[in-house]
Each structure stands twice: as structure tokens, then as C-alpha cells.
């Protein structure tokens, strides 16, 4: 069984990959549900998250993203969890930390 430090490194890698995937998919250009370009602050408000959370998501190293943040972004983007995670798995594989 892996030790706590190893698990923490693996979790950090998954979080980094999740954040980078979200950033590339949704956070390069912010849009409302009508497809109009909006500011980061407006996007954050529509998603129900803070602008600083979006800034953390855009960091190359990512951060420990809560599931609720993922869900809030997907709800705004009208994306199902199933679709998102299938695309994530297809892009990053199923064994990210290994």
C-alpha cells in the first residue's frame, strides 16, 4: 500500500491535470450561455464561484479543486459530468498518476 506522501503526490497530479483540462476547455475565453464574450468576473458570477478560484484553476500547477467547483462550471457550460469526465479520460488516460 502506498504511503501518504506518495498518495498526496498522485492526488496533486490528478488535480493539476483536471485544472489544466478545465482551463483549456472553458477558461481561455469566457462566454455566457448565449455565446457572448464576457469578463472573468462575469463568468465567475455566472458559475457561482469567485474570480480568484478561476485564477487558481489557470495556474500551471493547478490546485486542489473541489467537486462543487467542477460542477458549478459544468452547470454554466451546460455540460454533464459524464461527458466531461469521459473527455477528460480520453485526453489524459485512466491512470494519470501511474
Amino acid at each position: 500500500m502506498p504511503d501518504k506522501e506518495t498518495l498526496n503526490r498522485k492526488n496533486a497530479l490528478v488535480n493539476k491535470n483536471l485544472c489544466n483540462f478545465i482551463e483549456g476547455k472553458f477558461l481561455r475565453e469566457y462566454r455566457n450561455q448565449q455565446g457572448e464574450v464576457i469578463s472573468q468576473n462575469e463568468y465567475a458570477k455566472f458559475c457561482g464561484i469567485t474570480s480568484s478560484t478561476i485564477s487558481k484553476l489557470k495556474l500551471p500547477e493547478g490546485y486542489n479543486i473541489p467537486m462543487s467547483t467542477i460542477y458549478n462550471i459544468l452547470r454554466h457550460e451546460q455540460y454533464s459530468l459524464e461527458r466531461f469526465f469521459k473527455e477528460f479520460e480520453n485526453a489524459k488516460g485512466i491512470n494519470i498518476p501511474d
Side-chain angles (χ1 to χ4, degrees):
M1 173 177 244
D3 61 29
K4 187 175 181 175
E5 187 177 318
T6 301
L7 290 174
N8 286 341
R9 277 196 311 272
K10 289 182 176 194
N11 289 342
L13 185 57
V14 170
N15 279 312
K16 173 185 173 178
N17 279 283
L18 262 174
C19 290
N20 293 165
F21 185 72
I22 291 168
E23 190 270 334
K25 189 154 197 64
F26 303 120
L27 306 178
R28 296 267 167 95
E29 187 172 61
Y30 309 104
R31 295 189 176 272
N32 62 20
Q33 290 184 335
Q34 291 72 42
E36 302 162 332
V37 175
I38 57 174
S39 71
Q40 179 174 310
N41 287 339
E42 290 173 305
Y43 186 84
K45 185 177 174 183
F46 284 130
C47 291
I49 59 178
T50 64
S51 187
S52 64
T53 296
I54 292 175
S55 295
K56 286 189 239 178
L57 279 164
K58 294 173 79 173
L59 294 171
E61 67 273 11
Y63 89 111
N64 190 10
I65 183 170
M67 188 65 199
S68 59
T69 299
I70 295 170
Y71 180 72
N72 285 343
I73 292 169
L74 296 180
R75 186 181 61 237
H76 170 72
E77 295 289 343
Q78 299 178 326
Y79 237 76
S80 73
L81 287 167
E82 179 182 19
R83 178 180 172 194
F84 172 78
F85 282 108
K86 277 185 181 181
E87 288 179 12
F88 176 70
E89 187 176 283
N90 287 338
K92 302 294 182 179
I94 60 171
N95 294 315
I96 294 167
D98 294 331

